[in-house]
Amino acid sequence: MQKAFSYRFYPTTEQESLLRRTLGCVRLVYNRALAARTEAWYERKERLDYVQTSALLTQWKKQDDLQFLNEVSCVPLQQALRHLQSAFTNFFAGRAKYPNFKKKRNGGSAEFTKSAFRWKDGKVFLAKCNEPPNILWSRRLPDGVEPSTVTIRLNPAGQWYISLRFDDPRDLTLQPVDPSVGLDVGMSSLITLSTGEKIANPKHFNRYYKRLRKVQRSLSRKQKGSRNWDKARLKVAKIHQKISDSRKDHLHQLTTRLIRENQTIVIESLAVKNMVKNRQLARSISDAGWGELVRQLEYKAQWYGRTLVKIDRWFPSSKRCGQCGHIVERLPLSVREWDCPKCGAHHDRDINAAGNILAVGHTVTVCGAGVRPDRHTSGGQLRRSRKSQK
C-alpha cells in the first residue's frame, strides 16, 4: 500500500537558499508552461502535451535570462510539467477546474524522484545538497523500506515540511470487533454517534479569532508589497496555520478512536463545497472540517481493515422517525427535539439522525446499493437509488 509520511524539518542557511531557488524555478516553469498551453489553444487551437512542454523547458534553459534554471536539479522541473499535465487531464475529465498560476506567497513544493535523492542510513540526501536536512522524526519509516519519492514543501507560514512516499509492506489490519456506529455531523456537536454520545465541536477558529483580527487589521494598514506588509502577512499566515494544525490534530485523534472501536462506520456523503455557499454558515462549516473528517476515515478504514459506508446525502435522516419510519415534511434547524405525529415518540434530532444513518448503512451493506427515500410512497419506505438499478 502506498503511503506518505510528512515531517517538519529545519534547513540550514545554505539549504534554505537552494530550496527557495528550487521552488522559485518550479513555480516559473509551471507558470510558463501553463501560459504556453493556454496561448497555444486560444491563438492556434492547438493542444500542447507534456512532451511538447518538456521541449520548451529545454529551450528555456538555453536562454541567457533563464540560465539560473540550470543551477537547480532538473527533476523537480520535469515533475512540475507532469503535475501540470495531470491538472489538465483532470480538467478535461470534468474532475477539476482550469489550472491556476502558482503564487509565491503560497509557498510551494518540489518533488524529487529516486534519481534526485539518496537514502542512506535513515537520512535523505537531496540533489545538490551536501548534507541531509535536519528532519524532526515524529515516526520512523518501517524497517527495510526506502522512499520512492521525496516532496519538499514550504507553507505560507514559512515552515518547511518533507514528505516521504513509500510502499508499506506491513499488514495493519485490526482484530474484528462487533460494534457498528452511525455518525451525524453538525456544528454545535461536531459529530453525534448512534450510541447517543455527542462529540463537542472545539471551534478552533473562535479560539484564535481575536488574535487574527488584530494582525489582519495591522496587515490592512501596510502598503502592499512592502517589507512591513510581508512581515504582517507572515503573522496572519502563522495564526491560520495554528488553526489548521489544531483542527487536524483533533480530527486525527477522533477518527483513530472511531476506527479502533468500530468495525463499520456509516456517514452521509457530504457536498461541503456546495454547503459553504451559504454565507451565514460558511465559516462554521469550514471550521468544523467535515471534509477532512471523511477523508481521514476513508484512508484509515482502508489501512486498518474497517468498513466505511456512505449513504445518499438526500436521505432525510433528521426528518425520519427512528421508531415507525414516518417522515415529517418540515423540520427547521432551530428544532433540536421533536415528537413524531404518528407514533408519539420523542426524538433528539441528532441522535435520531445518527440512528437512521446506521440503519440505512446496514441496508447498504446487505443490498450493496445506495438507498434514498421514495417520494411516491408513504411512511418513508426505502428504495434503491436509480444509479444502482441500472
Side-chain angles (χ1 to χ4, degrees):
M1 183 179 297
Q2 287 287 326
K3 293 184 180 180
F5 288 172
S6 181
Y7 307 94
R8 179 85 181 269
F9 78 98
Y10 301 88
T12 62
T13 304
E14 295 180 359
Q15 290 174 344
E16 183 171 5
S17 176
L18 175 61
L19 292 176
R20 284 187 179 273
R21 279 185 285 137
T22 302
L23 296 183
C25 292
V26 168
R27 183 172 58 251
L28 182 143
V29 169
Y30 185 95
N31 289 344
R32 276 188 170 244
L34 175 57
R37 296 182 68 150
T38 304
E39 180 183 354
W41 172 253
Y42 281 104
E43 293 188 358
R44 303 185 299 275
K45 298 299 180 181
E46 177 185 356
R47 283 190 180 182
L48 301 184
D49 56 13
Y50 164 75
V51 176
Q52 293 166 309
T53 53
S54 181
L56 287 176
L57 175 59
T58 304
Q59 297 177 10
W60 295 337
K61 286 184 176 182
K62 297 178 181 179
Q63 297 179 12
D64 294 337
D65 58 337
L66 296 178
Q67 284 300 307
F68 56 85
L69 293 177
N70 298 293
E71 298 176 1
V72 301
S73 174
C74 63
V75 173
L77 307 184
Q78 294 289 345
Q79 290 299 103
L81 298 180
R82 291 189 175 94
H83 293 163
L84 180 61
Q85 179 64 35
S86 300
F88 271 102
T89 300
N90 293 331
F91 168 70
F92 290 124
R95 295 189 295 265
K97 295 182 179 180
Y98 194 82
N100 293 324
F101 291 99
K102 293 183 180 294
K103 298 180 180 179
K104 182 179 180 180
R105 67 170 179 266
N106 293 336
S109 63
E111 186 176 87
F112 298 79
T113 58
K114 277 193 172 181
S115 60
F117 74 90
R118 184 163 51 93
W119 176 261
K120 183 179 180 182
D121 299 331
K123 296 181 180 180
V124 180
F125 293 83
L126 298 175
K128 298 186 180 294
C129 286
N130 297 325
E131 297 180 0
N134 182 20
I135 301 176
L136 186 62
W137 294 99
S138 55
R139 52 180 172 177
R140 289 285 177 177
L141 297 184
D143 295 336
V145 169
E146 294 186 6
S148 59
T149 304
V150 173
T151 303
I152 301 296
R153 180 170 57 89
L154 176 65
N155 65 17
Q159 300 170 344
W160 290 94
Y161 288 88
I162 183 170
S163 178
L164 308 179
R165 186 178 181 181
F166 61 95
D167 190 5
D168 193 352
R170 299 173 300 173
D171 183 10
L172 301 179
T173 304
L174 298 174
Q175 291 293 331
V177 293
D178 295 330
S180 299
V181 67
L183 306 181
D184 178 61
V185 299
M187 286 176 287
S188 56
S189 297
L190 180 60
I191 59 172
T192 301
L193 280 63
S194 56
T195 57
E197 180 184 358
K198 292 187 177 183
I199 308 296
N201 185 357
K203 298 182 179 179
H204 302 284
F205 185 86
N206 291 346
R207 289 171 50 195
Y208 295 92
Y209 182 62
K210 290 184 178 180
R211 293 173 57 185
L212 186 60
R213 283 186 59 187
K214 182 178 179 180
V215 296
Q216 283 181 331
R217 282 199 302 267
S218 176
L219 175 63
S220 66
R221 291 192 291 265
K222 303 294 188 295
Q223 182 180 356
K224 189 172 183 179
S226 65
R227 256 317 255 273
N228 288 332
W229 177 87
D230 192 57
K231 291 179 181 178
R233 181 202 61 80
L234 193 61
K235 291 181 180 179
V236 174
K238 286 182 178 180
I239 294 180
H240 277 295
Q241 189 63 37
K242 285 185 179 180
I243 296 172
S244 177
D245 291 342
S246 300
R247 183 184 300 117
K248 282 188 178 181
D249 180 67
H250 178 263
L251 292 177
H252 272 298
Q253 296 183 42
L254 177 59
T255 53
T256 300
R257 174 203 155 187
L258 293 172
I259 289 293
R260 292 186 181 277
E261 293 179 354
N262 302 279
Q263 183 65 33
T264 303
I265 299 174
V266 188
I267 194 170
E268 291 178 309
S269 58
L270 303 173
V272 180
K273 289 185 178 180
N274 296 334
M275 298 170 73
V276 295
K277 293 179 181 178
N278 186 332
R279 297 178 62 182
Q280 295 180 341
L281 300 176
R283 193 177 79 180
S284 299
I285 293 174
S286 300
D287 189 33
W290 295 341
E292 178 66 14
L293 172 70
V294 176
R295 187 190 73 87
Q296 291 185 15
L297 287 174
E298 284 178 337
Y299 79 77
K300 289 181 181 181
Q302 184 181 8
W303 283 10
Y304 300 114
R306 299 307 198 206
T307 303
L308 179 67
V309 180
K310 292 183 180 181
I311 68 171
D312 195 301
R313 62 176 176 269
W314 299 111
F315 175 73
S317 57
S318 299
K319 298 180 180 180
R320 185 175 185 269
C321 175
Q323 299 293 331
C324 65
H326 177 75
I327 299 177
V328 296
E329 293 184 2
R330 189 171 180 272
L331 193 66
L333 286 174
S334 58
V335 178
R336 309 314 301 174
E337 296 182 2
W338 60 283
D339 297 320
C340 178
K342 186 174 182 180
C343 66
H346 181 75
H347 297 295
D348 178 284
R349 180 192 184 102
D350 297 332
I351 297 177
N352 175 67
N356 287 330
I357 290 173
L358 177 62
V360 175
H362 286 315
T363 306
V364 174
T365 305
V366 173
C367 299
V371 294
R372 63 185 300 177
D374 192 340
R375 298 177 182 177
H376 303 290
T377 60
S378 60
Q381 296 177 358
L382 302 178
R383 63 175 172 83
R384 293 191 179 185
S385 62
R386 295 178 180 176
K387 184 178 180 179
S388 63
Q389 291 178 353
K390 294 181 180 180

